[in-house]
Amino acid sequence: MSDIRTTRPYFRFKRGTLTLFIETTKGEKLAAVKSQLVELLHRHEGEYEGITDDQVKLLVGTPDGSAQQYTEVADKVSVGKSGLADNQEIYFVLMSDDGSWEDPHVVDFSEGIAEIEIGGI
């Protein structure tokens, strides 16, 4: 990965089978990046209509790579001081109607792709 201090970093935001790419600047606050994410989500019809910034939480996987451990990304920090890396995956979860947060869920097509059956081929 490139050094985030010398590039115009971008991040891959993931939820389920959805991946969105957002380019940032190192001085941009992560709250502004989350607002861009919400704006992109509004372009998808269905479950994302009406979602607000407060109903989205950004998470990163733990450094040990554990699929079960996540850390919340602080909104008030700038991209350059966040500790995030260029091209990093950031998971996003939504708030439920009862105020609780859903568990992170991402479908990784790169693992076990040989086992995926494709109908009609």
Side-chain angles (χ1 to χ4, degrees):
M1 287 189 225
S2 300
D3 185 342
I4 201 165
R5 294 168 296 186
T6 60
T7 65
R8 184 167 165 94
Y10 77 93
F11 301 110
R12 292 176 281 151
F13 292 89
K14 294 181 164 252
R15 178 177 182 260
T17 58
L18 178 64
T19 301
L20 298 169
F21 296 82
I22 297 178
E23 187 178 59
T24 67
T25 64
K26 66 181 181 179
E28 192 170 11
K29 299 282 186 196
L30 285 164
V33 176
K34 184 164 69 170
S35 291
Q36 290 177 47
L37 172 65
V38 169
E39 185 179 317
L40 288 173
L41 290 173
H42 287 162
R43 295 180 187 175
H44 290 268
E45 295 180 5
E47 69 180 306
Y48 298 114
E49 289 180 300
I51 293 291
T52 66
D53 293 10
D54 293 334
Q55 295 172 306
V56 176
K57 186 188 297 187
L58 304 179
L59 306 169
V60 292
T62 55
D64 66 2
S66 171
Q68 299 299 317
Q69 301 296 318
Y70 298 92
T71 303
E72 186 173 354
V73 176
D75 287 351
K76 296 180 182 181
V77 176
S78 69
V79 169
K81 294 183 180 182
S82 67
L84 298 172
D86 186 25
N87 191 26
Q88 184 164 351
E89 290 180 347
I90 300 175
Y91 308 99
F92 67 95
V93 294
L94 304 179
M95 182 185 288
S96 302
D97 291 336
D98 66 4
S100 64
W101 294 99
E102 67 183 1
D103 291 327
H105 173 72
V106 176
V107 177
D108 186 358
F109 292 111
S110 63
E111 293 182 20
I113 198 160
E115 298 175 17
I116 297 175
E117 293 184 26
I118 302 173
I121 296 180

